[in-house]
Amino acid sequence: MATNAFLGSGATLSVGDTSGATNLVAISEVKSLSGPSASTPQIACTHFGSASEEYISGLASQGTISVTCNFDPSAASQFTAAKGILGEFTAKTVRYWRIQWNDSGNTTATFQAFVSSRSIETPANGAVELSFDLTVSGGVTFA
């Protein structure tokens, strides 16, 4: 049976408005992204009448999305105040974001998030990189 695996090449990460996934701007030169990685806490509900430990599922967290780009100060998507990574970190704005993969159906993940961390790495013999994390607020919709 043939595989349905596909390359990450061609995937995009875009940032939209605060009110919806509209006016999307692609983040330039993304090299890798990881996430969203969801988890659900287990809440202990054991009581004196329990025969064993009892748990219920807590509210799900969609976690963070970690992104690494080639740093490009001339790219508005990385450097400007509105929708640029460096500006969004300072503004602490929750915006709509979208990941689109390069599979046969162009699968997307749309979510609200804010830039919760950022760093620039400058190696002596390598590309300067901008890394940042998006903390997801609410759910993620896959389509």
Side-chain angles (χ1 to χ4, degrees):
M1 180 192 236
T3 183
N4 288 321
F6 58 95
L7 293 175
S9 178
T12 58
L13 172 67
S14 301
V15 58
D17 294 334
T18 57
S19 59
T22 54
N23 301 313
L24 293 166
V25 174
I27 304 301
S28 65
E29 298 204 34
V30 174
K31 295 170 62 169
S32 67
L33 61 88
S34 176
S37 53
S39 64
T40 303
Q42 43 185 338
I43 299 172
C45 297
T46 308
H47 54 87
F48 290 146
S50 299
S52 295
E53 289 186 348
E54 297 181 54
Y55 297 91
I56 59 172
S57 177
L59 296 174
S61 168
Q62 300 300 324
T64 59
I65 296 161
S66 298
V67 182
T68 302
C69 309
N70 290 322
F71 182 48
D72 181 2
S74 69
S77 66
Q78 292 186 18
F79 212 66
T80 62
K83 295 187 184 178
I85 300 306
L86 300 180
E88 288 298 318
F89 175 76
T90 302
K92 301 175 179 69
T93 306
V94 176
R95 290 190 177 276
Y96 280 82
W97 294 77
R98 177 172 290 154
I99 300 168
Q100 182 168 339
W101 288 277
N102 196 26
D103 62 324
S104 61
N106 290 318
T107 302
T108 61
T110 304
F111 51 92
Q112 289 181 279
F114 61 93
V115 179
S116 54
S117 70
R118 61 146 177 87
S119 68
I120 298 172
E121 183 176 343
T122 308
N125 188 23
V128 176
E129 294 180 335
L130 168 64
S131 297
F132 61 95
D133 289 329
L134 300 171
T135 297
V136 179
S137 178
V140 176
T141 302
F142 289 90

